[in-house]
Amino acid sequence: RVAISEFVYLCRCQATLERDLGRRPARPGFQFQPTGNYFIGHGRRCAADLRRHLGLNDNEVIRDVFGSMRSMGFKVFRRRLENSNISGLFMRHPEAGPCVLVNLADGMARQRFSAAHEWGHGLMDGKPMVLSIIGEWNSNDLVELRANAFASDFLMPPSILSSVGDRWNNPKAVSEWADKFRVKIGRASCRERV
């Protein structure tokens, strides 16, 4: 609770400073409106559209997901959370706008995925707040599946994955590609898809 309260305070402070200094997002104007009932498709389309908006080509790996989020006006903070089951949080604050908190206790690959996942919530969900807790969702929670699809396709473009071909059968090649994408390999969970 302390870390989340601090996060809200920092978001408000950043918003006040940006307003007082006249700072605007470097890449404003991206909007995505999900249509239809295929939530995984929403996430994938949003990731592809956002990559184009950011000027990323189909074979480019995003290096600084946090900086990209900030360039679009998201407030992004990383704080160690006592509850290791909380990977991230998205909040649409009435003063500060879209804000993301990522658990600093997680490894960097996990933090990148959590940030992208929460970014997906911010771009596609109308809820004012979304808390992503490990193991607390089921396959019926389509909003979480959509955010996972967004994060996966944004961090690991499908065009690169399909070009790799049969190398996915080679554990060494999988490990090398995970390093290139800066993602974690291992047993998939609700927060990771490799």
Side-chain angles (χ1 to χ4, degrees):
R1 289 183 177 154
V2 172
I4 293 174
S5 295
E6 181 182 71
F7 160 66
V8 173
Y9 174 74
L10 291 172
C11 290
R12 291 179 62 215
C13 288
Q14 182 178 342
T16 300
L17 285 171
E18 288 173 349
R19 188 174 44 252
D20 290 351
L21 296 172
R23 293 198 53 189
R24 304 273 183 255
R27 296 182 180 267
F30 179 80
Q31 293 186 359
F32 182 82
Q33 184 61 44
T35 57
N37 295 321
Y38 183 45
F39 279 65
I40 291 174
H42 299 164
R44 291 183 172 156
R45 282 193 314 276
C46 185
D49 290 354
L50 179 60
R51 289 181 63 82
R52 278 191 293 280
H53 178 78
L54 295 174
L56 299 170
N57 68 45
D58 289 344
N59 296 320
E60 193 169 350
V61 174
I62 185 83
R63 291 286 167 206
D64 184 6
V65 68
F66 306 106
S68 295
M69 293 170 71
R70 289 181 180 116
S71 76
M72 292 181 58
F74 279 68
K75 279 65 172 172
V76 182
F77 292 94
R78 296 167 32 208
R79 291 287 178 266
R80 186 171 305 279
L81 303 176
E82 288 183 32
N83 185 342
S84 62
N85 288 326
I86 300 174
S87 293
L89 175 141
F90 168 75
M91 171 185 64
R92 195 174 311 281
H93 191 275
E95 284 177 54
C99 304
V100 170
L101 174 64
V102 175
N103 191 347
L104 186 60
D106 291 336
M108 183 51 73
R110 180 63 168 256
Q111 289 179 46
R112 285 171 45 83
F113 189 91
S114 294
H117 176 97
E118 300 306 332
W119 197 3
H121 283 306
L123 294 171
M124 295 180 285
D125 297 346
K127 296 179 184 178
M129 187 168 168
V130 178
L131 181 66
S132 295
I133 300 175
I134 298 171
E136 295 243 345
W137 69 284
N138 61 50
S139 60
N140 294 325
D141 196 348
L142 299 175
V143 173
E144 291 300 315
L145 292 174
R146 176 168 62 190
N148 278 351
F150 169 83
S152 294
D153 281 18
F154 186 77
L155 296 174
M156 301 176 293
S159 59
I160 295 177
L161 295 178
S162 63
S163 71
V164 174
D166 64 350
R167 289 186 236 162
W168 294 120
N169 296 328
N170 178 342
K172 185 177 182 218
V174 170
S175 181
E176 289 170 1
W177 277 101
D179 287 344
K180 289 177 187 176
F181 287 129
R182 299 176 71 194
V183 297
K184 180 181 174 184
I185 60 172
R187 199 178 89 211
S189 71
C190 71
R191 308 290 290 143
E192 300 161 306
R193 188 180 124 210
V194 177

